[in-house]
C-alpha cells in the first residue's frame, strides 16, 4: 500500500479551513474515488488531474486510487484543490518524495495540458494557512504576488505541474514560456474574474478620481461630507434631481485616508473571493466604492447565492463607501437588511449549506428625492404629487434605518451665481483629505489601546463616562431628547458627530457649537451652525 498527503485550503466566505488531501493506492481494478464532501466542480477534478499528470510526462498509476479531503464535514467547492490532489497522487505513486509535500499547502487549478491556472481567493487561503502554522505554499504563477502579501510565508509560483515535479524532485526546472496571445485576452486570467463584475460592484477607483472642487456651491453638503469622512458617519443626502447628490457621493472616497496594512489585507481578501481584484494589482490600497443599482436584491446587498453565500455589496464596500442612489426605490426588505451590518460591522448569512460571517464595516451614503417627481419644495413649486404619494415615498426609508444615519442634509438646487459665477472653485479633495487625516489621527491617539479607531465606532456610554463634554454643551441635545426629536441611539450618535467636529476643528473636547452642528446635521433643523445657501431667486413672470 502506498500513501501520501498534501494540504490545501477550503474557503467558507472569506475565511479558510486547511484541508488535508490524502491519497491511497492499493492493488485492484484501476479506479479513482474522491471523498470528503466535494461539490460537482471538485468531483470533476478527477478527469482534470488524470489528464494533467499524463501530459506532464508521468504515467498514471493503474491501481485503485482513493483521495480523501479531511475534515470530511467541511463543504469543499471549486477547482483550487487540483494541484494538491495531483501532488498527493504523485507522492503515493512515489514519483515525488511524500515527505516533501507533507507540510506543503498547494492551491491551483490544473488544465488538461498540465498548466496551473489561477483561482480566486488565494490571499484569504494563504492567510488561513499561515494562521494554521504552515510556512510554505505553492500557488499559480499569476497569483504569486497576491500570496506574497502574507508575511512569514514562503511562496512558490509555478506555471505547470511539470515545474512543480521538477522543483520537488531536485530536477532541472523546464523552461515553459508564456503563450503569446496576439493581442487577445489572456484565457489564464478568466479564473480570477466573475462575469458581470464591473462598475459599481466594488472596483477600487483610480488614483486620479473625481475632485471635490468640481462641485458648485453646496457648502452644507460639503461640510457634511467632510464630517462623514473624518468620523465614519453614515450620510443621507436629500434633494431634487440635478442638485449634485451623486457628484458628492462619488467624491467621498477621494477624501478618505489610504487604507492601513491590515485594512488593505481585509479588502483585498474580499475582492479576491468575489473575483473583482484588478489584474496586476494584488493589494488594494484605497477605499473601495460600491454603488449597486436600486433593483439589487437583498442577496446582492448583504450576500447570498446558491450553496455557500458569496460576498454582497456591503462586503465589497468594506472599509470604503456604499452609495445607494435613489434609496427609496430599493426594496424595503433589502434596505432593512442593512441594519445589522450598520451596527456590528459584519454580516452573518445563514444558508442550508452553512453559516458565513462576512466583513461589512462601510460608510453608507443614501441619496433620495423629496417626492416621486423630485420637484417638491423647489422654487417653481411644480410638484404635482398628492400628499399621500409623498408620504408613501418617504416612508420607504424606515425609521429604524434612518435612526442609524448620523448626518441628514438637504441638498438645495445649485444657484446661478455658483454655477456660472466668476469661476471660483471650492476646496479640492486634497485639501479636505488633509484635514480628514488630521482629525482621524487625533481620534486614533485618543483611542490608543482600545478596540475603536473612529468616533462612529465608540459606544455612547464610553463617550459619556470617559470623555465628558464641556459643561452645558449637551443642553440643547437633552431638550431634543425630552421633546422626542432624538432617541437614545440618536443622542449617542450626536455625541459621536460632535467629537468628529471637534477633531476637525482641533479642539480637545466638543463645545456648545460642536453639539449644535451635530444636532443640525442629525435632525435637519437649522441652528445657525451650517453654512446656509442663499435664498433662491424669485422667478420672473412674463405678462
Amino acid at each position: 500500500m502506498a500513501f501520501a498527503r498534501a494540504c490545501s485550503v477550503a474557503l467558507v466566505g472569506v475565511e479558510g479551513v486547511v484541508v488535508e488531501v490524502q491519497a491511497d493506492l492499493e492493488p485492484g481494478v484501476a479506479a479513482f474515488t474522491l471523498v470528503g464532501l466535494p461539490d460537482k466542480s471538485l468531483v470533476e477534478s478527477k478527469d482534470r488531474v488524470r489528464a494533467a499528470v499524463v501530459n506532464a510526462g508521468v504515467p498514471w498509476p493503474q491501481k485503485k486510487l482513493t483521495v480523501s479531503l479531511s475534515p470530511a464535514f467541511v463543504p469543499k467547492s471549486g477547482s483550487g484543490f487540483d494541484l494538491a490532489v495531483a501532488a498527493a497522487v504523485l507522492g503515493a505513486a512515489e514519483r515525488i518524495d511524500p515527505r516533501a509535500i507533507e507540510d506543503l499547502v498547494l492551491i491551483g487549478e490544473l488544465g488538461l495540458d498540465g498548466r496551473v491556472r489561477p483561482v480566486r481567493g488565494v490571499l484569504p487561503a494563504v492567510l488561513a494557512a499561515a494562521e494554521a502554522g504552515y510556512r510554505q505554499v505553492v500557488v499559480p504563477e499569476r497569483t504569486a504576488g497576491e500570496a506574497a502579501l502574507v508575511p512569514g510565508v514562503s511562496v512558490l509560483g509555478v506555471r505547470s505541474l511539470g515545474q512543480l515535479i521538477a522543483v520537488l524532485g531536485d530536477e532541472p526546472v523546464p523552461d515553459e514560456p508564456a503563450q503569446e496571445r496576439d493581442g487577445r485576452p489572456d484565457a489564464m486570467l478568466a479564473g480570477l474574474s466573475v462575469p458581470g463584475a464591473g462598475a459599481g460592484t466594488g472596483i477600487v477607483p483610480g488614483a486620479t478620481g473625481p475632485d471635490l472642487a468640481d462641485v458648485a456651491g453646496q457648502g452644507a453638503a460639503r461640510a457634511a461630507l467632510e464630517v462623514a469622512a473624518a468620523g465614519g458617519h453614515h450620510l443621507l443626502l436629500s434633494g431634487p434631481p440635478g442638485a449634485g447628490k451623486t457628484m458628492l457621493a462619488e467624491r467621498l472616497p477621494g477624501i478618505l485616508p489610504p487604507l492601513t496594512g491590515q485594512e488593505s489585507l481585509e479588502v483585498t481578501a474580499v475582492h479576491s473571493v468575489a473575483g473583482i481584484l484588478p489584474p496586476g494589482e494584488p493589494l488594494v490600497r484605497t477605499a473601495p466604492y460600491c454603488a449597486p443599482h436600486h433593483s439589487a436584491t437583498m442577496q446582492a446587498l448583504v450576500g447570498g447565492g446558491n450553496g455557500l453565500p458569496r460576498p454582497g455589496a456591503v462586503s465589497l464596500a468594506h472599509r470604503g463607501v456604499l452609495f445607494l442612489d435613489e434609496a427609496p426605490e430599493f426594496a424595503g426588505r433589502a434596505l432593512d437588511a442593512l441594519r445589522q451590518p450598520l451596527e456590528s460591522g459584519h454580516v452573518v448569512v445563514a444558508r442550508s449549506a452553512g453559516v458565513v460571517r462576512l466583513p461589512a464595516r462601510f460608510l453608507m451614503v443614501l441619496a433620495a428625492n423629496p417626492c416621486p417627481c423630485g420637484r417638491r419644495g423647489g422654487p417653481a413649486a411644480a410638484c404635482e404629487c398628492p400628499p399621500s404619494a409623498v408620504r408613501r415615498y418617504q416612508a420607504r426609508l424606515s425609521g429604524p434605518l434612518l435612526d442609524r444615519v448620523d448626518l441628514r442634509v438637504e441638498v438645495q438646487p445649485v444657484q446661478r451665481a455658483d454655477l456660472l459665477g466668476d469661476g471660483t472653485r471650492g476646496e479640492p479633495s486634497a485639501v479636505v483629505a488633509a484635514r480628514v487625516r488630521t482629525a482621524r489621527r487625533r481620534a486614533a491617539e485618543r483611542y490608543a489601546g482600545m478596540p475603536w479607531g473612529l468616533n462612529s465606532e465608540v459606544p455612547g456610554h464610553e463617550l459619556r463616562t470617559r470623555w465628558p463634554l464641556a459643561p452645558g454643551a449637551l443642553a440643547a441635545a437633552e431638550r431634543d431628547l425630552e421633546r422626542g426629536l432624538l432617541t437614545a441611539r440618536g443622542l449617542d450618535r450626536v455625541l459621536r458627530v460632535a467629537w468628529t467636529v471637534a477633531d476637525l476643528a482641533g479642539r480637545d473636547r466638543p463645545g456648545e457649537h460642536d453639539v449644535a452642528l451635530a444636532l443640525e446635521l442629525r435632525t435637519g433643523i437649522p441652528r445657525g451652525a451650517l453654512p446656509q445657501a442663499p435664498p433662491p431667486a424669485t422667478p420672473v413672470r412674463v405678462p
Side-chain angles (χ1 to χ4, degrees):
M1 181 182 70
F3 175 83
R5 63 171 175 261
C7 293
S8 191
V9 178
L11 288 178
V12 183
V14 293
E15 298 177 354
V17 178
V18 176
V19 173
E20 189 178 67
V21 181
Q22 303 171 350
D24 176 70
L25 281 173
E26 295 181 355
V29 178
F32 190 167
T33 304
L34 184 64
V35 297
L37 209 59
D39 70 344
K40 183 173 179 57
S41 63
L42 186 49
V43 170
E44 293 173 348
S45 68
K46 296 187 295 184
D47 298 321
R48 293 193 299 270
V49 170
R50 181 187 289 107
V53 169
V54 172
N55 288 322
V58 180
W60 183 258
Q62 298 300 317
K63 294 182 180 180
K64 181 181 178 181
L65 172 62
T66 303
V67 175
S68 175
L69 308 176
S70 300
F73 63 87
V74 176
K76 304 166 189 72
S77 61
S79 56
F81 293 89
D82 290 2
L83 199 58
V85 171
V89 171
L90 293 173
E94 298 183 351
R95 175 59 181 83
I96 59 178
D97 186 358
R99 293 172 297 180
I101 59 174
E102 284 185 354
D103 297 324
L104 202 60
V105 177
L106 302 102
I107 304 165
E109 176 186 338
L110 286 175
L112 298 183
D113 57 354
R115 290 187 302 167
V116 181
R117 302 177 61 90
V119 294
R120 298 190 297 269
V122 167
L123 176 60
V126 177
L127 283 171
E131 292 175 359
Y134 293 88
R135 292 294 175 262
Q136 291 182 318
V137 297
V138 179
V139 298
E141 185 183 49
R142 295 297 182 91
T143 57
E146 182 180 344
L149 297 174
V150 181
V153 176
S154 176
V155 178
L156 172 63
V158 294
R159 189 173 294 175
S160 67
L161 181 60
Q163 288 186 344
L164 176 62
I165 295 173
V167 170
L168 295 177
D170 291 332
E171 303 171 2
V173 179
D175 185 17
E176 299 182 5
Q179 295 183 356
E180 297 294 335
R181 302 298 300 174
D182 298 329
R184 293 175 293 166
D186 191 349
M188 292 290 285
L189 298 178
L192 298 179
S193 62
V194 175
T201 57
I203 300 299
V204 181
T208 57
D211 198 288
L212 196 59
D214 300 334
V215 180
Q218 305 299 357
R222 292 171 62 99
L225 210 69
E226 183 175 344
V227 173
H233 305 287
H234 306 302
L235 172 65
L236 168 64
L237 299 173
S238 177
K245 303 186 294 295
T246 302
M247 287 187 65
L248 289 163
E250 289 175 344
R251 283 149 180 80
L252 181 54
I255 63 176
L256 291 176
L259 300 177
T260 63
Q262 180 61 32
E263 291 172 348
S264 294
L265 289 178
E266 294 174 5
V267 174
T268 304
V270 175
H271 285 210
S272 177
V273 170
I276 58 174
L277 196 63
E281 299 181 14
L283 185 64
V284 178
R285 304 179 185 275
T286 56
Y289 175 79
C290 188
H293 191 261
H294 61 258
S295 61
T297 63
M298 183 170 64
Q299 289 76 15
L301 284 180
V302 302
N306 296 328
L308 287 175
R310 298 183 60 82
V314 296
S315 297
L316 300 181
H318 180 59
R319 301 296 182 183
V321 178
L322 176 66
F323 177 47
L324 302 182
D325 198 6
E326 305 293 344
E329 301 296 338
F330 282 79
R333 292 179 64 248
L335 289 176
D336 287 336
L338 301 177
R339 286 151 56 178
Q340 179 205 6
L342 286 175
E343 289 287 344
S344 61
H346 63 267
V347 58
V348 178
V349 184
R351 296 291 185 270
S352 59
V355 179
V356 173
R357 184 180 186 270
L358 300 170
R361 188 166 296 283
F362 54 91
L363 198 164
M364 182 179 68
V365 180
L366 303 174
N369 295 328
C371 66
C373 74
R375 297 190 294 269
R376 180 180 172 84
C383 177
E384 298 179 354
C385 301
S388 58
V390 176
R391 286 194 300 268
R392 285 195 302 269
Y393 181 80
Q394 295 178 349
R396 294 178 181 176
L397 299 179
S398 66
L401 176 64
L402 290 179
D403 201 33
R404 290 165 168 81
V405 178
D406 301 343
L407 314 173
R408 309 173 191 178
V409 179
E410 292 285 341
V411 182
Q412 302 296 333
V414 181
Q415 302 300 311
R416 182 183 63 182
D418 295 325
L419 192 61
L420 304 174
D422 57 1
T424 303
R425 304 178 67 191
E427 288 183 314
S429 295
V431 175
V432 179
R435 290 199 300 265
V436 170
R437 287 195 299 270
T438 301
R440 287 204 175 192
R441 192 178 306 116
R442 292 176 62 89
E445 293 173 355
R446 184 166 59 248
Y447 306 133
M450 300 180 184
W452 317 298
L454 298 175
N455 291 322
S456 60
E457 302 172 359
V458 185
H461 173 73
E462 299 290 341
L463 285 178
R464 291 191 297 269
T465 55
R466 293 197 184 191
W467 300 281
L469 275 64
L474 269 181
E478 292 171 355
R479 288 194 298 269
D480 285 359
L481 181 64
E482 293 176 354
R483 296 170 184 171
L485 297 176
L486 282 179
T487 63
R489 179 191 288 121
L491 180 61
D492 289 345
R493 293 184 176 273
V494 167
L495 280 174
R496 298 169 183 170
V497 175
W499 272 104
T500 301
V501 174
D503 288 337
L504 286 169
R507 288 186 278 271
D508 293 335
R509 58 177 178 173
E512 185 177 353
H513 178 271
D514 302 320
V515 175
L517 177 55
L519 281 172
E520 185 169 348
L521 290 171
R522 171 75 184 183
T523 62
I525 300 176
R527 301 169 190 265
L530 275 174
Q532 301 296 321
T538 304
V540 179
R541 296 184 179 275
V542 180

